[in-house]
């Protein structure tokens, strides 16, 4: 593939390596250094002039460091006369700041989108944004992928004849319904109320749960408080088995350990949009790769082909 350059920030170089392997192009080197006054300096160490440049960087902990690094990568590519700059951002953490539900708070999702465009981003490739309206925060084109096909291909190895996909809340119910259609399952949803970042209440679950195989599906799992609360409600309804799935396995503050310690949770499935530290792995965890999907999207963007065609048919394992 000609006239393409892929660079990675320091957030998730393993994913960038895998993406480039599927594309059949080398991963171009990036140098990130720090001055004595703690300021960052970023250098893209390959030619960018008139090339189609892709910058791979999910916004993960430490989010602010990786954000500034990404902004500097955009600025460096623009200053090097890149033909087009596409930010490949598998996880957009600021997408959760998507509404003004209290007085005098910042809409971080829109602010960071504006910063990326101001730094030089011509296009954004994202995966499973927290809510649909975040797409509209960007003033440049956004290709919004999801991981439902990869998750569906994994779960088809099981008997799905008595399966119900459960969304923790009504906000994620549309995605849960789409996933349920892919695997031929029923769908249910929790009635959730959030009081703080780590304190939620789920009063009931709407849908058929008793004696069924349940797949709890969420867009991301951070502290795991929502999923743990949902598990308590599900147990009251008598499911036959429980599995947990998400796109972004952030697993902050020991969430993966707490989930894996639940005796009735048979499996925890996520994708590699974000890095998972080796010490966090448990035998219940399955990590699916979204590198092939990202690589195909990058190829289609580069060739001017439809990216939405990636959603037309389920992907087999």
């Amino acid at each position: 593939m000609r006239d393409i350059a892929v660079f990675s920030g320091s957030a998730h170089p393993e994913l960038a390596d895998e993406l480039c392997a599927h594309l059949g192009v080398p991963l171009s080197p990036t140098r990130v250094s720090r001055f004595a006054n703690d300021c960052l300096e970023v250098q893209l160490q390959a030619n960018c002039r008139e090339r189609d440049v892709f910058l791979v960087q999910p916004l993960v902990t430490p989010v602010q460091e990786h954000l500034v690094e990404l902004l500097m990568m955009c600025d460096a590519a623009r200053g090097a006369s890149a033909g087009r700059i596409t930010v490949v951002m598998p996880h957009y953490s600021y997408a959760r700041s998507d509404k003004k539900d209290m007085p005098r708070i910042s809409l971080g999702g829109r602010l960071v989108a504006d910063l990326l465009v101001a730094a030089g981003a011509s296009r954004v490739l994202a995966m499973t944004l927290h809510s649909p309206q975040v797409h509209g925060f960007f003033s440049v084109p956004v290709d919004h992928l999801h991981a439902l096909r990869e998750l569906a291909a994994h779960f088809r190895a099981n008997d799905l004849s008595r399966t119900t996909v459960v969304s923790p809340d009504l906000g994620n119910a549309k995605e849960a319904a789409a996933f349920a259609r892919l695997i031929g399952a029923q769908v249910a949803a929790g009635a959730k109320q959030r009081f703080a970042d780590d304190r939620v209440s789920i009063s009931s679950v709407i849908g058929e749960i008793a004696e069924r195989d349940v797949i709890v599906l969420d867009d991301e799992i951070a502290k795991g408080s929502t999923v743990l609360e949902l598990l308590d409600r599900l147990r009251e309804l008598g499911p036959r088995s429980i599995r947990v799935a998400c796109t972004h396995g952030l697993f902050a503050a020991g969430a993966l350990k707490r989930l894996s310690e639940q005796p009735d949770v048979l499996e925890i499935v996520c994708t590699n949009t974000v890095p998972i530290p080796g010490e966090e792995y448990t035998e219940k965890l399955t990590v699916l790769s979204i590198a092939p999907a990202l690589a195909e999207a990058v190829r289609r963007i580069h060739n001017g082909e439809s990216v939405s065609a990636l959603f037309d048919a389920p992907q087999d394992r």
Side-chain angles (χ1 to χ4, degrees), residues 129-197:
L129 294 171
H130 182 64
S131 54
Q133 63 263 31
V134 174
H135 192 140
F137 287 171
F138 291 87
S139 58
V140 295
V142 177
D143 292 300
H144 184 197
L145 304 183
H146 61 64
L148 298 185
R149 295 191 313 161
E150 286 74 15
L151 291 169
H154 172 78
F155 282 106
R156 284 195 199 101
N158 303 315
D159 177 10
L160 301 174
S161 58
R162 290 186 57 81
T163 297
T164 298
V165 177
V166 181
S167 169
D169 54 49
L170 297 177
N172 197 56
K174 186 174 181 180
E175 183 177 9
F179 179 64
R181 286 194 297 271
L182 280 178
I183 63 174
Q186 294 185 18
V187 66
K192 183 179 82 171
Q193 185 177 5
R194 181 175 290 279
F195 301 100
D197 182 50

Side-chain angles (χ1 to χ4, degrees), residues 11-78:
H12 201 352
E14 298 83 6
L15 178 60
D17 272 327
E18 192 178 347
L19 185 154
C20 287
H22 284 281
L23 277 177
V25 301
L27 178 61
S28 299
T30 305
R31 181 182 63 84
V32 179
S33 56
R34 191 181 298 272
F35 292 107
N37 65 355
D38 203 39
C39 290
L40 291 176
E41 181 183 65
V42 174
Q43 180 186 30
L44 304 179
Q45 296 184 306
N47 179 37
C48 296
R49 188 174 297 274
E50 298 306 321
R51 301 181 78 187
D52 204 359
V53 172
F54 293 84
L55 308 175
V56 183
Q57 181 87 321
L59 296 186
V60 295
T61 304
V63 173
Q64 281 58 246
E65 290 268 333
H66 290 141
L67 172 59
V68 172
E69 192 178 294
L70 178 57
L71 293 172
M72 289 187 165
M73 290 170 70
C74 289
D75 183 64
R78 179 176 58 182

Side-chain angles (χ1 to χ4, degrees), residues 200-278:
V200 300
S201 172
I202 297 178
S203 57
S204 62
V205 177
I206 305 164
E208 188 178 353
I209 302 298
E211 291 301 315
R212 297 188 65 83
D213 300 311
V214 167
I215 301 174
V216 175
L217 179 72
D218 209 349
D219 61 329
E220 69 176 60
I221 297 177
K223 289 187 175 180
S225 52
T226 295
V227 174
L228 290 170
E229 174 76 7
L230 179 60
L231 291 178
D232 288 340
R233 299 290 79 75
L234 290 173
R235 290 174 183 126
E236 297 169 358
L237 301 173
R240 188 166 70 174
S241 69
I242 299 175
R243 289 176 168 83
V244 175
C246 68
T247 299
H248 309 299
L250 302 175
F251 301 130
L256 183 56
K257 183 175 184 292
R258 288 194 298 274
L259 287 174
S260 64
E261 287 174 347
Q262 306 300 309
D264 50 358
V265 173
L266 302 182
E267 186 180 26
I268 304 163
V269 183
C270 68
T271 74
N272 62 343
T273 54
V274 301
I276 298 174

